[in-house]
């Protein structure tokens, strides 16, 4: 913001601020952001399947799976919040809360409990994904 009056003791000129975009440029950027359609990449589905499959992750794989699932979960939670689907669907609001809670919890050190934690995270992720697809917030296929 530029000063229109000179303050006592200040004799230096202040140049006017120059915004980075014109009004038309800002409108173009806004339209592009609004048209952006996120998609579900194959990695999300693969990571969910790897944890919910009959195979039990080893102790060495638990942390890697937890990190990947946490990333997917936070991305979908953010998408659900931004798209305001939770305001229309109470189940999505519950899944957002569950996702935030389980996403911030530490992975248990006991292997059996750690696998249970991973599976709860994967089920929450899967359910949230299904609700967002039902609300057409994203597509089901990559």
């Amino acid at each position: 913001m530029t000063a229109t009056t000179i303050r006592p003791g200040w004799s230096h000129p202040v140049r006017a601020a120059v915004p980075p975009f014109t009004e038309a440029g800002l409108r173009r950027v806004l339209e592009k952001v609004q048209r952006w359609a996120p998609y579900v990449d194959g990695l999300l589905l693969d990571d969910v399947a790897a944890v919910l499959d009959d195979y039990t992750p080893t102790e060495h794989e638990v942390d890697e799976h937890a990190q990947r699932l946490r990333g997917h979960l936070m991305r979908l939670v953010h998408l659900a919040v931004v798209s305001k689907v939770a305001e229309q669907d109470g189940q999505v609001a519950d899944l957002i809360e569950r996702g935030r809670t389980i996403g911030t919890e530490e992975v248990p050190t006991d292997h059996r409990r750690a696998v249970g934690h991973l599976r709860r995270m994967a089920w929450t992720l899967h359910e949230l994904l299904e609700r967002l697809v039902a609300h057409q917030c994203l597509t089901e296929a990559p």
Side-chain angles (χ1 to χ4, degrees):
M1 194 166 183
T2 58
T4 57
T5 62
I6 298 179
R7 301 203 18 100
W10 185 263
S11 61
H12 304 290
V14 178
R15 68 183 164 113
V18 180
F21 291 105
T22 63
E23 184 178 342
L26 284 173
R27 287 186 196 280
R28 275 195 315 275
V29 170
L30 177 62
E31 288 169 4
K32 287 181 179 182
V33 169
Q34 289 173 335
R35 281 191 310 242
W36 176 68
Y39 65 96
V40 177
D41 58 15
L43 292 177
L44 185 153
L45 300 173
D46 290 345
D47 290 341
V48 168
V51 172
L52 295 179
D53 204 358
D54 290 337
Y55 170 75
T56 302
T58 65
E59 291 181 24
H60 302 292
E61 297 172 326
V62 167
D63 286 335
E64 181 182 344
H65 282 295
Q67 184 177 6
R68 293 173 69 135
L69 289 175
R70 189 175 291 121
H72 294 310
L73 190 56
M74 291 300 111
R75 190 175 81 189
L76 287 188
V77 164
H78 180 71
L79 177 63
V81 170
V82 169
S83 64
K84 299 183 181 180
V85 174
E87 296 172 6
Q88 305 164 9
D89 188 339
Q91 188 177 4
V92 172
D94 292 342
L95 289 168
I96 288 171
E97 187 60 34
R98 189 178 346 153
R100 284 179 172 160
T101 301
I102 201 166
T104 58
E105 290 176 357
E106 290 291 323
V107 178
T109 54
D110 178 56
H111 182 254
R112 195 176 90 242
R113 289 178 188 241
V115 170
H117 178 78
L118 288 178
R119 290 188 172 154
R120 282 191 304 278
M121 211 176 343
W123 273 116
T124 302
L125 183 58
H126 183 261
E127 289 176 30
L128 184 57
L129 174 64
E130 284 184 347
R131 296 304 308 152
L132 292 177
V133 168
H135 284 283
Q136 299 177 347
C137 290
L138 38 78
T139 59
E140 191 168 13

